[in-house]
Amino acid sequence: LLCRVEDVGGRFALTFDDGPSLNTTPRLLDVLAHHGARATFFLLGPNVRRAPELVRRVAAEGHELALHGNLHWPLALSPPWMIRSEIQKCARAVHDVTGVQARFFRPPFGFMMPGQSAFVRHLGYESVLGDIYPEDPRRPGTTRIVSRVMQRLRAGSILILHDGSPTGERDRSQTVDALDVILQKASHQGLAAVTVAHLLDAAPAP
């Protein structure tokens, strides 16, 4: 499981889960563009089908498309055939809309067994978690989200935020506001937000 990347300087991976959201994702894209930042979006299949033009915009603006499954069902409760179906349905939705073959998968609820990770790798995808999760869907307040992130953010981190939801549109305004502050503070610390792929590419060869 990929949680962070060691020995990379001046960058961290910025990721978003459960999108895209017709309300939130365009606002996040505007913030990212303002700061010249890049991110990886772990998408849900039904939300991709609901907003194909938005998914194409995410890709066109230089961000990475990744998979978060189809029904947001916990992997711990899923047999192999269901895991395969969840990933393939999401991958097909992304490919049908953009032509992109996704590389990364993030398990719903951020948990999977070692054997499930190996199974996902056998299917051709790398499983990604993260090392910073400020619990932004709980809406603890913009200031608290920023504080939780900046206390732990360092080179090689993988930050988990949320732009969408598996149960319809949700208020993610605190995440949008926090992102603007996080990117400002990270820049002052010499850290740039990049995609997961770019973070891995920056790592020294094993």
Side-chain angles (χ1 to χ4, degrees):
L1 291 173
L2 181 64
C3 292
R4 59 171 286 105
V5 178
E6 302 296 343
D7 300 323
V8 295
R11 68 201 78 189
F12 68 97
L14 175 60
T15 70
F16 297 97
D17 285 7
D18 296 345
S21 158
L22 290 169
N23 291 338
T24 303
T25 306
R27 296 166 61 197
L28 287 175
L29 291 173
D30 291 343
V31 174
L32 292 169
H34 176 74
H35 290 276
R38 295 292 181 270
T40 298
F41 287 78
F42 287 89
L43 306 167
L44 288 173
N47 290 346
V48 170
R49 299 181 193 96
R50 189 177 298 117
E53 290 296 332
L54 182 54
V55 177
R56 284 190 278 268
R57 178 187 168 187
V58 172
E61 295 187 9
H63 305 291
E64 183 174 36
L65 305 181
L67 311 178
H68 200 38
N70 199 60
L71 299 176
H72 205 271
W73 189 254
L75 259 66
L77 304 177
S78 304
W81 66 265
M82 182 178 289
I83 296 173
R84 179 188 291 110
S85 175
E86 280 289 292
I87 292 176
Q88 290 180 345
K89 284 181 179 179
C90 186
R92 190 177 305 117
V94 171
H95 186 269
D96 287 349
V97 167
T98 65
V100 171
Q101 179 62 54
R103 173 182 173 186
F104 300 108
F105 167 72
R106 175 171 284 156
F109 304 102
F111 178 81
M112 65 196 312
M113 302 298 289
Q116 293 173 327
S117 178
F119 180 69
V120 169
R121 183 177 289 274
H122 175 73
L123 294 176
Y125 303 95
E126 185 165 0
S127 299
V128 178
L129 297 181
D131 63 339
I132 305 175
Y133 174 39
E135 299 187 359
D136 57 310
R138 295 180 179 272
R139 304 184 72 248
T142 299
T143 300
R144 183 164 293 183
I145 294 172
V146 172
S147 176
R148 289 173 175 175
V149 171
M150 299 312 301
Q151 286 175 13
R152 300 189 61 188
L153 187 67
R154 61 193 191 277
S157 288
I158 299 177
L159 170 58
I160 303 170
L161 296 172
H162 290 73
D163 61 329
S165 167
T167 56
E169 293 289 343
R170 293 290 183 268
D171 182 3
R172 300 285 187 251
S173 57
Q174 291 182 5
T175 301
V176 176
D177 294 340
L179 177 65
D180 188 45
V181 180
I182 289 166
L183 291 175
Q184 289 180 42
K185 289 180 176 291
S187 178
H188 291 157
Q189 294 182 12
L191 296 174
V194 299
T195 65
V196 172
H198 287 160
L199 192 67
L200 282 172
D201 290 344

